[in-house]
Amino acid sequence: MNQEQQSALLRSASRFPIPTGAKFSYGTSGFRADASLLESTVFRVGILAALRSIQTRSVIGLMITASHNQVSDNGVKLADPSGGMLTQSWEPFADALANALHPHSLLQLLVDFIKKENIVLEGAPVSEVLLGRDTRPSGETLLEAAKQGITSFMGTTASNMGIVTTPQLHWMVRAKNKGIEATELNYYDQMLTSFRCLLDYIPQRDSTQNVSDKLVVDGADGVGGEKLENLKTRLGYLTVDVRNCGGGVLNEGVGADYVQKEKMAPRNFGPADAGMRCASLDGDADRLVYFYVISNSNKIDLVDGDKILSLFALFLKEQLCILNGPNDGKACNSYKASLGVVQTAYANGASTDYLKQMGLEVVMTPTGVKYLHEKAAEYDIGIYFEANGHGTVLFSDAFLSWLEIKNQELTSTSQDSDQHKAALRLLAVSRLINQAVGDALSGLFLVEAILKHMRWSIHKWNELYQDLPSRQLKVKVVDRTAVITEKAETKVVSPAGIQEAIDAETDKYPKGRCFIRPSGTEDVVRVYAEASSQEGADHLANSVVRLVEQYLGFGRS
Ligand code: 16G
Ligand code: MG
């Protein structure tokens, strides 16, 4: 690094001192903290983004959001050239940068890392970082700090995409690196064109069962609701009533996280909506759950990420079967596409059983999108979802190339055949659903298109299988990092003996299942329990909380 560059970095770093006593860690989804503590961190993540862009010679994304957390929090995370999460191998360096106490120690870290990674600064092509933020008021100042970090590497451009959903920014990064136009308008055009395409190929059947054309959406008073509101006139048959789209406090009694965890109707929803098909987005619109309000109450029946996954799996499997014809892949000129689903331990056991009964390969990974995404990318069609509503469908390049050719062939030989329609539907899904990351907006349009295709009400969809009763609790302990897990977080290896105690407790309950894991976003240990009855699940969860306290020291929250 030349002298001029070093001085530029030292100068800008001295304007962003780290708050006394603060300790930052690039967790499951980047850095998160009270917004007032984050300026130095966001500045440093700006530096990190610039460096990553220089190293990969590609566009990188920097998103300022704290997702479903309270409005006074904020956070920052990076999108890699593929549009996915920052490579895990850079996370320790991100931690070190964020915690370097003085400008000189920051510079030393950078010099050492650049050397270790063989990053060539001089003569590198122009690098670029796309910046986005959610609707949090603190986002504006933090975005400025990010710009300062990015541009303190000479020759790096910071392009502000403004207020966008997290998945929109990831989509833009991916598109830009593929040489595709990557504006917000391009994003909507691609999504809505493929949505309409799916609708065009809905089979004409005689049926009295028509799906309601009305959907009510809880926008969490965040960015997703605002974006959806602006799309309302472009949705054809679908009438969307967007509530909580910016007038109230972000994530307060609203949003996908609230709805999924509390199983209660969000603010501005109530008994008058009983039976309506409703959806809820989280604060940065990368999570989606559906629900309907139960008559005369504020309680809901939740249709969570597991059911969205099951709906997608059912539809895609059906299209693959039609495409491959009666020989199921053995016909000449067919492609035996691998279809796999990826879940975490939080997936309801009934969903996993259902997917296995469908003959699908189900794989479990630890919690966190980066793990699920990586696994799903191993399939021709990889569907991943967390129960909390974050997920998407990934298509392999090899399968998509084959599908394009197959589609051309069918266009000339058997247009209007079922096979041709199946090919067109699969291509449309691959363009509709965000290939970079889970996306509540594109997920919502895929759900809507499939329900219309199947002529299913939300109730019918919910009946695919019945969730086993479950309970989630959290425990405050002295040191949550003392909990070490394996087998996709289903077994604890440390502290010694606790797993045996959990197993002995779980064995007491019919269909009992229970696991504990340290949270990646809060200073707590989480407990998940499932059993054949709600009382059983509650009881099991509470007993395991006591075990956690016993083995790890007190402090329940
Ligand atoms: C983050 C993760 C989400 C995960 C959650 C778990 C991303 C983009 N988000 O929100 O996937 O389910 O953390 O939180 O990776 P926990 O570790 O506090 O339980
Ligand atoms: Mg989110």
Side-chain angles (χ1 to χ4, degrees):
M1 193 187 304
N2 65 32
Q3 208 54 49
E4 197 188 351
Q5 176 63 75
Q6 294 200 14
S7 312
L9 277 163
L10 285 175
R11 252 194 328 272
S12 52
S14 63
R15 291 200 296 275
F16 295 96
I18 69 170
T20 325
K23 182 102 179 80
F24 301 99
S25 155
Y26 199 96
T28 331
S29 44
F31 293 107
R32 286 213 191 145
D34 188 274
S36 62
L37 298 174
L38 275 177
E39 237 182 308
S40 70
T41 311
V42 176
F43 163 78
R44 288 152 189 239
V45 174
I47 292 182
L48 186 73
L51 202 55
R52 184 83 182 136
S53 176
I54 293 167
Q55 189 219 29
T56 58
R57 308 198 159 211
S58 306
V59 174
I60 294 292
L62 186 156
M63 182 71 195
I64 297 171
T65 177
S67 180
H68 55 279
N69 290 15
Q70 60 194 9
V71 65
S72 53
D73 283 355
N74 216 327
V76 58
K77 60 181 166 185
L78 292 188
D80 246 2
S82 63
M85 304 290 171
L86 171 70
T87 175
Q88 289 167 49
S89 63
W90 274 46
E91 287 182 12
F93 179 55
D95 285 348
L97 272 193
N99 292 303
L101 280 179
H102 304 292
H104 278 100
S105 41
L106 181 74
L107 182 63
Q108 193 56 50
L109 276 172
L110 285 164
V111 169
D112 293 348
F113 188 75
I114 287 166
K115 192 161 163 218
K116 182 174 137 253
E117 295 282 317
N118 284 325
I119 301 173
V120 183
L121 296 182
E122 284 81 19
V126 177
S127 42
E128 184 179 6
V129 179
L130 303 188
L131 286 165
R133 68 176 182 97
D134 69 16
T135 51
R136 286 178 161 79
S138 57
E140 211 169 332
T141 322
L142 292 177
L143 196 122
E144 276 312 310
K147 268 192 198 161
Q148 298 284 319
I150 295 163
T151 52
S152 57
F153 263 106
M154 290 177 218
T156 307
T157 317
S159 307
N160 185 3
M161 300 293 113
I163 294 180
V164 287
T165 71
T166 297
Q168 282 178 332
L169 189 81
H170 283 259
W171 184 92
M172 288 170 185
V173 169
R174 182 183 162 85
K176 195 120 201 220
N177 284 318
K178 282 180 169 279
I180 302 167
E181 278 206 82
T183 66
E184 202 177 327
L185 268 183
N186 298 131
Y187 167 91
Y188 296 128
D189 286 346
Q190 180 173 324
M191 186 166 71
L192 295 180
T193 309
S194 33
F195 175 58
R196 279 192 292 267
C197 178
L198 281 176
L199 299 178
D200 286 346
Y201 293 106
I202 286 180
Q204 302 297 316
R205 297 185 211 111
D206 282 341
S207 172
T208 45
Q209 245 192 319
N210 261 328
V211 184
S212 162
D213 290 344
K214 185 160 179 206
L215 171 71
V216 193
V217 178
D218 159 32
D221 279 318
V223 55
E226 288 181 19
K227 302 291 181 194
L228 193 57
E229 181 69 30
N230 295 336
L231 287 183
K232 270 166 62 172
T233 52
R234 299 181 62 186
L235 305 181
Y237 82 96
L238 184 65
T239 311
V240 181
D241 171 7
V242 191
R243 302 186 194 160
N244 306 326
C245 77
V249 180
L250 173 73
N251 296 334
E252 205 173 274
V254 290
D257 194 61
Y258 173 83
V259 169
Q260 192 235 353
K261 297 239 166 75
E262 305 298 325
K263 298 209 172 67
M264 293 291 284
R267 186 175 4 100
N268 291 322
F269 286 72
D273 301 306
M276 289 288 305
R277 187 167 76 250
C278 301
S280 183
L281 322 177
D282 76 334
D284 62 337
D286 64 356
R287 288 193 197 176
L288 169 72
V289 294
Y290 272 72
F291 66 94
Y292 50 90
V293 180
I294 299 168
S295 299
N296 303 318
S297 81
N298 276 319
K299 296 216 175 97
I300 58 158
D301 266 335
L302 177 73
V303 184
D304 64 1
D306 300 337
K307 273 219 170 106
I308 298 177
L309 183 152
S310 302
L311 183 75
F312 289 178
L314 195 72
F315 178 77
L316 291 167
K317 187 163 189 270
E318 185 185 290
Q319 300 317 309
L320 271 180
C321 285
I322 301 172
L323 185 67
N324 283 334
N327 293 331
D328 192 28
K330 289 183 213 80
C332 74
N333 213 10
S334 72
Y335 179 110
K336 186 75 183 148
S338 59
L339 173 63
V341 293
V342 186
Q343 300 190 301
T344 72
Y346 285 111
N348 195 280
S351 77
T352 312
D353 286 348
Y354 172 79
L355 292 160
K356 285 184 175 162
Q357 273 162 24
M358 271 173 70
L360 289 169
E361 189 174 323
V362 184
V363 185
M364 296 283 167
T365 72
T367 303
V369 172
K370 56 194 171 195
Y371 303 114
L372 290 114
H373 191 98
E374 190 174 64
K375 195 71 206 168
E378 291 176 12
Y379 296 92
D380 286 313
I381 304 181
I383 316 173
Y384 72 87
F385 261 90
E386 291 189 312
N388 63 25
H390 189 118
T392 193
V393 184
L394 302 181
F395 289 78
S396 73
D397 288 343
F399 177 58
L400 283 179
S401 310
W402 175 83
L403 201 54
E404 294 281 4
I405 294 167
K406 184 80 184 167
N407 177 39
Q408 280 165 20
E409 192 185 297
L410 290 165
T411 309
S412 50
T413 57
S414 41
Q415 203 162 16
D416 290 337
S417 65
D418 286 347
Q419 244 190 331
H420 188 215
K421 285 180 190 154
L424 287 165
R425 286 188 201 112
L426 287 168
L427 282 169
V429 173
S430 75
R431 291 185 190 129
L432 167 57
I433 195 93
N434 198 322
Q435 296 295 288
V437 76
D439 180 345
L441 293 182
S442 67
L444 180 144
F445 289 115
L446 185 54
V447 167
E448 291 301 311
I450 298 177
L451 290 181
K452 184 102 178 142
H453 178 101
M454 308 275 207
R455 294 175 194 246
W456 278 4
S457 66
I458 187 167
H459 306 87
K460 171 101 177 137
W461 171 24
N462 199 29
E463 281 162 12
L464 274 183
Y465 57 84
Q466 196 174 0
D467 278 325
L468 281 167
S470 65
R471 177 64 58 209
Q472 283 191 55
L473 295 174
K474 51 184 178 178
V475 200
K476 196 122 181 75
V477 296
V478 177
D479 176 16
R480 78 186 198 280
T481 62
V483 178
I484 299 169
T485 63
E486 63 172 14
K487 300 204 165 76
E489 301 178 321
T490 56
K491 296 279 173 238
V492 188
V493 286
S494 178
I498 192 169
Q499 186 59 52
E500 289 72 14
I502 294 173
D503 289 344
E505 202 54 43
T506 309
D507 283 347
K508 296 179 187 163
Y509 300 85
K511 290 202 178 273
R513 187 171 72 89
C514 184
F515 66 90
I516 66 168
R517 54 175 284 276
S519 158
T521 64
E522 261 184 90
D523 190 15
V524 294
V525 169
R526 299 205 191 277
V527 175
Y528 176 92
E530 214 172 75
S532 59
S533 70
Q534 190 60 56
E535 296 71 34
D538 291 350
H539 208 270
L540 176 56
N542 277 299
S543 312
V544 172
V545 163
R546 284 193 292 278
L547 288 175
V548 173
E549 288 170 344
Q550 198 181 315
Y551 278 80
L552 285 128
F554 265 104
R556 182 165 176 180
S557 68

